Amino acid sequence: MEKVSSAAIIQLADFRKDIFDRIGVPATGYCAPEKAPQSPVAKPDPQARPPKASAISSASAKAKAVAMRSIVRSMLVMATEGAFDLRAGYPDSPYLDRFDIRFAELSGRLAAVDANGLGGDFRFLAGRARTSLATLNDIVRREIIGGINRDIEIPAFDGTLGKLKNAAIAAGVAFGSLDMALKEG
């Protein structure tokens, strides 16, 4: 029995050595793929005119809209973590302070997009986003800060987090619609 097991070990060692010998050989197919050739760098056209100021403000508004959706996501995380801090008995949650900072930042960015004068559809979408953001902030103030403490029951706590999640989803959808409109416009 020992002869069979030692023979199997020797065969395995030979096989392993054979695999490692073939790694660097391109003909066997075990090598890393070749790097793609570099594409030639496009040179700017000297005859091209610089973009108009309205196109620049529109481009910056588009970049801000993408950032706004990620801020809504981070606000949801911060509010949820703040709720768990309040439930654990920590009334001064740093997550809720960060939520307030993000809310102020997002309100400012939304006002900048609204102030660009992009048209009626954009005003409607910005108003919808503003309303959903106010609802999210209201739920954090009223339901989380005003209603969560150490004595809260699990079903009530889960219900509060459900309201928070629904408000954040509505805000994310509103900011996503605004983002799509800014990309198209």
Side-chain angles (χ1 to χ4, degrees):
M1 187 80 163
E2 289 181 26
K3 291 182 180 178
V4 173
S5 64
S6 63
I9 293 173
I10 292 172
Q11 273 186 328
L12 182 59
D14 288 341
F15 178 71
R16 212 171 117 196
K17 182 180 178 234
D18 187 42
I19 287 176
F20 289 119
D21 287 343
R22 288 187 284 162
I23 287 178
V25 181
T28 59
Y30 291 106
C31 65
E34 300 257 343
K35 289 186 179 179
Q38 291 183 349
S39 62
V41 178
K43 295 181 182 177
D45 184 16
Q47 301 296 328
R49 291 188 277 170
K52 294 180 181 178
S54 63
I56 293 172
S57 66
S58 168
S60 66
K62 290 177 187 180
K64 288 180 181 182
V66 173
M68 288 191 286
R69 274 190 302 178
S70 64
I71 292 174
V72 170
R73 275 189 224 118
S74 69
M75 288 172 66
L76 172 63
V77 170
M78 290 174 202
T80 303
E81 291 295 329
F84 278 101
D85 282 353
L86 291 174
R87 185 169 178 247
Y90 304 115
D92 297 327
S93 174
Y95 291 106
L96 295 175
D97 294 337
R98 290 183 194 141
F99 177 88
D100 291 337
I101 292 168
R102 289 298 205 171
F103 174 76
E105 179 184 355
L106 189 56
S107 296
R109 287 184 181 201
L110 189 58
V113 168
D114 198 25
N116 279 337
L118 297 172
D121 291 340
F122 292 103
R123 281 194 303 269
F124 168 75
L125 292 172
R128 184 173 150 213
R130 191 178 314 102
T131 301
S132 65
L133 184 64
T135 302
L136 178 63
N137 188 43
D138 182 54
I139 286 177
V140 169
R141 299 279 165 246
R142 188 172 26 92
E143 300 285 333
I144 292 183
I145 294 174
I148 294 180
N149 55 36
R150 284 188 132 182
D151 301 328
I152 192 168
E153 298 292 324
I154 297 293
F157 182 72
D158 290 341
T160 301
L161 290 181
K163 289 178 186 177
L164 173 67
K165 180 185 78 168
N166 291 337
I169 288 171
V173 167
F175 281 104
S177 298
L178 181 61
D179 177 41
M180 285 179 15
L182 286 171
K183 284 180 181 177
E184 291 176 3

